[in-house]
């Protein structure tokens, strides 16, 4: 077999493969003999059909099968022979049966070869810490999560809970879902359409009022989208939040004894917040570093790699939807609801990053640092009641440990890139750091 290859583009190679007809003829004769042992033809006993009869009756079809199988087998042999790092399946473009050889052409996409550039790379690294006010606010949030409500005679304000009846009309006509009794709403929660909650602010128990609002243009009920409406509001109860006392019962919820007191609670809360900050800062600089790396490097992507990543992201979304809404909800999905364009931009970024990181790992000969893996596991385990049990779990579960090793290896790549980049440090608050992290996760 003779093979020549040429570059069609940075990620496509064309192979010209020549297979001697002697190889095809040998396989053809062998297949004729095998067929003669199993084929049924009138006038001949099973297994006793002469080969020349099989050749006459089925020869053309069998020969074409041999040619197709030969192309299938030899194209992969050619890829290996040429040491081509192929991605996806090869595409047979042209075949020609000559007197002494079968000649065919095939194109195959290859893994991109890139020279990673670090010139001009700029990365913004956040810095944050946890102060006493942050701890106090977190404890207040813990109280709010377990807060009750107490009636107030005053006006309804943001963060107060209002119980009310409402009845809506559009062009003077009532509409489905536009009325309710004893409806409870925490003002400022954003549960209602724009302007609705603002209209209730300032009202008192027993007060009635008609408010004017406009449904958003993208409102789920098409018959209401973009339309002006009026709602008659009757307030029945206004309540303000009542935070629980930080007493023995409250402390017990968080594993703190009355003797240890609020200072122990503050210390535990601060420790958890500092762990959040550490993880948040690591994720922020990792995201910023990888974003800068992708922006600084052009990478020609094989369509096969892009298609695989799009399909992976699509399946991931379906899986998340199934977990959230159950199998019945997943059945409501139609493939047309998740077109390739929905994932293309993120898929391109993900594949580019994968190619660049793989190249850095190879060029810099970066291998996972076992000591950093152990430190990562110990730090993660410290937030559990029995850290040793968690550490043992990761030591004995190969799959889970591999996931931790992948995270640590990414951190090592980030350190390598940062060493070659211009890094500026920006001080941010604890709250802003977490908001940025949440926005990145949602994006």
């Amino acid at each position: 077999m003779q093979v020549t290859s040429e570059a069609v583009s940075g990620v496509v190679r064309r192979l010209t493969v020549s297979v001697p007809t002697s190889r095809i003829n040998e396989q053809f004769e062998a297949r004729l003999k095998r067929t003669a042992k199993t084929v049924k033809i009138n006038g001949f006993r099973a297994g006793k059909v002469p080969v020349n009869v099989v050749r006459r009756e089925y020869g053309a079809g069998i020969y074409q099968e041999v040619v197709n199988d030969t192309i299938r087998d030899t194209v992969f042999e050619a890829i290996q022979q040429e040491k081509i790092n192929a991605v996806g399946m090869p595409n047979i473009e042209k075949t020609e049966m000559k007197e002494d050889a079968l000649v065919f052409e095939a194109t195959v996409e290859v893994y991109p070869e890139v020279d990673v550039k670090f010139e001009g790379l700029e990365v913004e690294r956040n810095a944050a810490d946890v102060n006493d006010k942050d701890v106090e606010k977190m404890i207040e949030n813990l109280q709010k999560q377990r807060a009750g409500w107490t009636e107030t005679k005053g006006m309804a304000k943001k963060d107060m809970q209002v119980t009310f009846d409402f009845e809506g009309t559009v062009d003077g006509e009532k509409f489905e879902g536009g009325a309710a009794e004893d409806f409870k709403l925490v003002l400022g929660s954003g549960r209602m359409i724009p302007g609705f909650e603002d209209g209730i602010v300032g009202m008192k128990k027993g007060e009635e009022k008609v408010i004017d609002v406009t449904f958003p243009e993208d409102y789920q009920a098409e018959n209401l989208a973009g339309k002006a409406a009026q709602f008659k509001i009757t307030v029945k109860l206004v309540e303000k939040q009542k935070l629980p006392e930080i007493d023995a019962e409250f402390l017990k919820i968080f594993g703190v004894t009355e003797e240890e007191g609020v200072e122990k609670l503050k210390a535990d809360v601060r420790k958890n917040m500092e762990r959040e900050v550490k993880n948040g800062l690591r994720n922020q600089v990792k995201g910023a570093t990888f974003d800068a790396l992708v922006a600084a490097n052009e990478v020609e992507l094989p369509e096969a790699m892009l298609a695989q990543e799009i399909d992976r992201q699509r399946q991931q979304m379906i899986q998340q939807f199934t977990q959230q809404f159950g199998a019945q909800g997943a059945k409501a999905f139609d493939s047309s609801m998740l077109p390739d364009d929905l994932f293309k931009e993120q898929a391109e970024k993900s594949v580019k990053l994968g190619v660049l990181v793989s190249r850095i790992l190879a060029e810099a000969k970066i291998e996972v640092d076992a000591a950093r893996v152990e430190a990562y596991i110990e730090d993660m385990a410290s937030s559990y009641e029995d850290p040793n049990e968690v550490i043992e779990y990761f030591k004995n579960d190969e799959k889970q440990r591999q996931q931790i090793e992948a995270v640590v290896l990414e951190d090592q790549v980030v350190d390598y890139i940062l060493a070659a980049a211009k890094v500026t440090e920006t001080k941010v608050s604890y709250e802003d750091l977490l908001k940025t992290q949440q926005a990145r996760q949602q994006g």
Side-chain angles (χ1 to χ4, degrees), residues 25-37:
N25 291 336
E26 286 176 9
Q27 294 182 13
F28 174 56
E29 294 298 330
R31 192 168 299 191
L32 282 176
K33 291 176 182 178
R34 289 199 304 270
T35 304
K37 294 178 180 180

